[in-house]
Amino acid sequence: MRYSDTLIDHFRNPRNAGMMREPDGVGEGEFTQCMDLARFYLRVRDGRVEEARFQAYGCGPTLAACSAGTEVAVGTALEALAEIEEGRIEAAVDGLPPERRHAAEVVALALRAAARDAMTRRGVH
Amino acid sequence: MNRRVYLDHNASTPVHPEVLQAMLPYFSERFGNPSSVHGFGREARDGMETAREQIADFLKVSKDEIVFTSGGTESDNLGIKGLAAARGSGHIIASQIEHHAVLRTVQTLEEQGFTATYLPVDGDGMVNPDDLKKALRADTILVSLMGANSEVGTLQPIREIGRITREAGVPLHVDGVQTFGKVPIDVGAFGIDLLSFSGHKIYGPKGVAGLFIRKGTKMASIQHGGEHERRRRAGTENVAGIVGLGKAVEIRNRDMAVEGARLTALRDRLWEGVRAGVAEVRLNGHPTERLPGTCNMCFHNIESESVVLGLDLKGIGVSAGSACTSGNVEPSYVLVAMGLPLDWAMGSVRCSLGRGTTAEDIEYVIESVVPLVGKLKAQSPVAGSARA
């Protein structure tokens, strides 16, 4: 199984890892078949993500996809993030082997949940 | 470029330079078919018979009791199915933590009408001989137990097991693929009737292995064709591989004791170093009755594949206990049978040391593992909480 250089770089040097105090939105995604869990924290300003952080349990690609997911999230409007698809995350790590596509799924799931949480807290539905 | 450290010797070992030298002529000038009567054939046969002698000497058995096969899996299949076919029906006993080459073979026989009992193991991965005594039945035709578990390295009490099977008059098959050439095996004193072993675990080539079949053991062939290996295993022999296997065994015979002591010290240093630097880590397998070079550790609430990838980026090759395949991950059935909770079993990593492993390698691995696990823990949303 070969991983892209981008994926390896995110795994080796994860961006925005760790929790965030008093976030504006929190969301989790879980892939129960392999027990992967991603949690995202969002700081929002003017309807856009200003800062994103993650915590993750899972295989290397999942951890890397979380890191890439925070970069995708920053600057994105909450409404758009609430609809983000797996393909965006997969593209952000320059592709995933078929047997690791769940890494993008769990990250997209968590980002959507975090965005919706932030929208709910702001009274936007 | 990172330093490269290979700690996956239980999966495979590099061919020993002396083994390669011994094999080379059998690819070119001594290429004959050992079944041919002419001089070319005789040269090949001589090489093969020398290997048979080297192995028989090591095991202190007759060379007629050694059959060459294509791998440890075939040896297990031949031993178990061959004996079952000769009996026709009956009950087989194995353990829950056997290699799949044994487990799936016994399960296949169950589908054909044989019955089976799978013995549990304790928290160290060891079978209790009393459980074997209780499992024996009047129709038990075979007991098949591994000499050592490939994942955690626990050595089974084969001497005691053999005493029980001998008293019961039941043949004992030992899957010795992980023990052969690493720890002493006395097939006579241990009461072993069938012993599987393989070349590439002991610095021999891949694709060649053997089965010791005690004289008088009723066996049927499971592969039909020519009259090779005294009609016990049809197929032209892998002569160069067999020559390499023989040489590898001769070297193990010479080096095993010293090498075993060296690896035990390195293995223990690795564990002590990791334990000193990492909170929430546990050693799997028996603390002392364990293969010299095997150190299996669990990191709590971390997925083992992340550790394997992180170490790979440092040039270190280790093996993951749980592997994610097509988005589905199963914890190691061995660790589950040993009673490990899921939040521990998912984080198991096996380091298996070998003749090329140095003290400097081990220090490098410790220096790499400790910060890696710290980093993964810091990223984990479940660290510090049970997730079973």
Side-chain angles (χ1 to χ4, degrees), chain A residues 9-87:
Chain A
D9 183 51
H10 275 287
F11 178 80
R12 201 197 290 259
N13 308 299
R15 277 67 121 179
N16 310 307
M19 67 176 297
M20 178 190 287
R21 292 196 184 279
E22 299 177 9
D24 296 318
V26 180
E28 285 190 354
E30 190 160 16
F31 195 82
T32 53
Q33 289 98 315
C34 61
M35 298 180 66
D36 278 10
L37 176 67
R39 182 185 297 156
F40 281 86
Y41 304 87
L42 305 179
R43 181 99 57 221
V44 180
R45 177 176 288 186
D46 300 330
R48 288 186 181 274
V49 176
E50 184 183 55
E51 186 187 354
R53 298 189 70 78
F54 79 92
Q55 290 179 301
Y57 169 91
C59 56
T62 295
L63 304 187
C66 281
S67 168
T70 60
E71 292 191 333
V72 169
V74 170
T76 304
L78 280 184
E79 287 78 3
L81 194 62
E83 304 294 329
I84 193 164
E85 294 186 346
E86 294 90 79

Side-chain angles (χ1 to χ4, degrees), chain B residues 150-161:
Chain B
S150 60
E151 282 188 43
V152 297
T154 297
L155 298 164
Q156 296 300 341
I158 295 298
R159 184 185 292 270
E160 206 174 339
I161 297 285

Side-chain angles (χ1 to χ4, degrees), chain B residues 45-275:
Chain B
R45 175 158 287 279
D46 286 349
M48 208 167 77
E49 294 312 312
T50 298
R52 210 185 298 276
E53 276 172 17
Q54 288 163 319
I55 296 164
D57 284 351
F58 180 61
L59 291 175
K60 298 183 178 61
V61 300
S62 160
K63 56 184 279 197
D64 296 343
E65 295 174 306
I66 303 296
V67 172
F68 292 117
T69 68
S70 66
T73 295
E74 190 194 330
S75 294
D76 287 337
N77 271 263
L78 175 58
I80 296 167
K81 288 182 185 165
L83 191 135
R87 300 298 177 97
S89 65
H91 172 239
I92 299 166
I93 299 172
S95 84
Q96 292 175 358
I97 64 164
E98 295 303 310
H99 189 276
H100 284 129
V102 168
L103 280 181
R104 288 182 182 151
T105 301
V106 176
Q107 286 160 1
T108 300
L109 289 171
E110 281 188 279
E111 289 164 11
Q112 295 168 11
F114 290 85
T115 56
T117 300
Y118 300 95
L119 301 175
V121 293
D122 65 16
D124 292 332
M126 195 174 278
V127 167
N128 184 340
D130 287 338
D131 288 338
L132 171 62
K133 277 186 197 165
K134 288 176 199 153
L136 283 166
R137 305 189 330 206
D139 66 337
T140 303
I141 57 165
L142 177 68
V143 172
S144 179
L145 287 174
M146 58 194 354
N149 183 267
S150 60
E151 282 188 43
V152 297
T154 297
L155 298 164
Q156 296 300 341
I158 295 298
R159 184 185 292 270
E160 206 174 339
I161 297 285
R163 200 175 298 134
I164 295 166
T165 53
R166 269 201 178 161
E167 279 174 17
V170 174
L172 172 63
H173 167 247
V174 171
D175 173 2
V177 168
Q178 285 296 346
T179 36
F180 181 80
K182 297 180 186 173
V183 293
I185 302 172
D186 189 330
V187 294
F190 290 12
I192 297 170
D193 299 289
L194 301 159
L195 176 78
S196 304
F197 52 92
S198 180
H200 74 111
K201 308 291 189 187
I202 53 165
Y203 313 97
K206 293 173 184 63
V208 65
L211 179 68
F212 158 74
I213 305 175
R214 183 178 296 286
K215 216 169 274 179
T217 307
K218 277 180 70 180
M219 295 281 293
S221 298
I222 61 168
Q223 183 163 306
H224 306 282
E227 302 197 347
H228 312 86
E229 295 298 288
R230 298 161 66 89
R231 286 187 288 180
R232 290 173 296 192
R233 195 271 185 183
T236 300
E237 295 88 346
N238 170 7
V239 177
I242 289 168
V243 168
L245 171 60
K247 189 67 181 176
V249 170
E250 183 189 280
I251 295 168
R252 295 311 295 169
N253 206 2
R254 181 186 76 200
D255 297 347
M256 186 172 70
V258 172
E259 182 67 359
R262 191 184 76 89
L263 290 182
T264 299
L266 288 178
R267 172 198 82 181
D268 292 345
R269 167 62 196 143
L270 173 61
W271 166 238
E272 287 305 323
V274 173
R275 187 170 68 166

